[in-house]
Amino acid sequence: MIGHILQEPLWLQAWVLWMGLVNAAGVLFWRHREARVVIGVFLGNLVFMQLLYTANGYNRLLGLSHVVWWTPLLVHLWRRGVPLRRESVADRWLAALFATNALSLVIDYVDVVRYLLGDRT
């Protein structure tokens, strides 16, 4: 899958790198419950995405992994008031993670719907 990502435009490679970094940064805030949840979701997402890639190849359906894992994560974080808190560095990281994953989800929901409607690219 990495080989396919490296063939994408530079802006998309940078976006994928940013998403990986902001999600993996949870290890820096391990003492916070939300960070442990984020890392668990991040790892589950990586495994599920690899399974999707192995089964279906590199196409729009890969967005399903984010839909499945990040939608409940963002609902959980929203209910805990995370996007509005700015009391600590961990809160600011969670706000950045929330914004990043929410933007990605907009793209991912569109990609999954397009795939289901027949766009297999």
Side-chain angles (χ1 to χ4, degrees), residues 23-41 73 76-77 80 82 85-95 97:
N23 280 274
V27 299
L28 301 173
F29 305 101
W30 188 254
R31 66 181 179 90
H32 297 275
R33 179 179 182 271
E34 289 94 348
R36 294 189 300 274
V37 170
V38 167
I39 291 300
V41 167
L73 172 66
H76 169 75
L77 294 176
R80 294 182 59 81
V82 165
R85 296 189 321 227
R86 300 289 189 280
E87 299 165 6
S88 68
V89 174
D91 288 338
R92 289 188 286 275
W93 159 70
L94 282 166
L97 173 121

